[in-house]
Structures are given as structure tokens and as C-alpha cells.
Amino acid sequence: MPVDEALYDAAVALIERRLPSAPWATAAALRLDDGSIVTGIGLDNMNSGAGLCAEVGPMCAAFTDGRAVVASICVNRSSDRRRDLVLAPCGLCQERLALWGPAVEVGVSDPQDPRGWSGRRLADLNPYYWATAFSEDGRWPTTADHAE
């Protein structure tokens, strides 16, 4: 199940519900292997080192429930509120999503797409994933490998 308008709309709806008047806000929507969607909002803090990406809460919920993440989108409400931007996952979130493998689809900014965004596999964002160096055949580690 790809990154699609349903994921985008879920993230935008969370921004509208949780931070409707914020000058900027970031929310994420993740689709799980059973088709359900979980959302999260960025945790900001005066100490920026204590903040968390919007994807972290939904990822932890998926992992806690034993579900696999198959798609993820992160939406940022711009300060001018004229448009919402889709942001590719940061390096930390790419590492977190790697738990579910290279086929996880993520939203990325894409000026060639009429929506301004499209979906790409995690492997396309990170073709030289560092953890493949530890396997005999260059494969991405499995969820079980991550737990070892």
C-alpha cells in the first residue's frame, strides 16, 4: 500500500485538530501492514535536543503492537499557511523505518508531481544503507536482525 492521499489527509487533519493556529507544525501518518493508519505530531521543546520527529510516536505504537510499517508521510504546515509541504524522512527516521525494510514507501517532496510530492521506497532514498555491510549478500537487515 503506497503513500497516498489518505495518508496525506490524515497528517493534515491532525495538524488542523491539534495545532490549528500554530505558525508551523509537523505531523506524520503511517500505514501499517493491516491497512490501518496511525498519526503523530512533532514534539517540540525549548531544548531542541529533547524534541522528537512526528513519525516517532506512530513508529513506537506500531512496534509495540507488533505491526509492520509499510508507508509513511510527514507533512509540514508552512508559516505562511498557504501550503503544506511533504518532507522526506530525516536520517534518524530513515534509520528507524529501516526496521521494517527497504520496501517501506515514504513521502518526498517532488516538484515534478502535480501534488508537489510522491512516494519512494526507503531503499531509493538510502541506496547505500550502512547496515547492509554486515550481511554476506548485501541485503538489508530484517526486523529480527535489528533485535539481535
Side-chain angles (χ1 to χ4, degrees):
M1 290 181 237
V3 170
D4 59 11
E5 284 75 13
L7 279 183
Y8 177 87
D9 291 346
V12 170
L14 179 56
I15 291 171
E16 289 298 323
R17 185 177 76 247
R18 180 67 178 81
L19 300 168
S21 61
W24 67 270
T26 304
L30 281 63
R31 179 170 287 116
L32 306 183
D33 56 352
D34 65 355
S36 63
I37 295 174
V38 291
T39 59
I41 200 116
L43 176 64
D44 290 323
N45 192 292
M46 287 180 66
N47 175 349
S48 61
L52 292 171
C53 299
E55 299 97 330
V56 174
M59 281 189 244
C60 289
F63 189 77
T64 298
D65 290 343
R67 305 295 338 170
V69 174
V70 298
S72 175
I73 195 167
C74 183
V75 178
N76 178 262
R77 164 80 29 92
S78 63
S79 60
D80 63 13
R81 298 186 53 93
R82 287 186 293 190
R83 64 185 181 133
D84 298 316
L85 304 171
V86 171
L87 306 175
C90 72
L92 287 172
C93 283
Q94 287 183 46
E95 184 66 33
R96 293 169 181 138
L97 287 167
L99 177 67
W100 294 287
V104 173
E105 190 168 311
V106 297
V108 298
S109 177
D110 183 353
Q112 302 302 317
D113 190 285
R115 300 170 299 188
W117 57 270
S118 62
R120 297 284 189 275
R121 291 177 330 125
L122 192 57
D124 297 329
L125 265 64
N126 197 344
Y128 304 102
Y129 181 48
W130 68 271
T132 61
F134 293 97
S135 69
E136 295 286 323
D137 58 0
R139 69 172 172 75
W140 279 53
T142 66
T143 302
D145 292 334
H146 281 276
E148 291 178 350

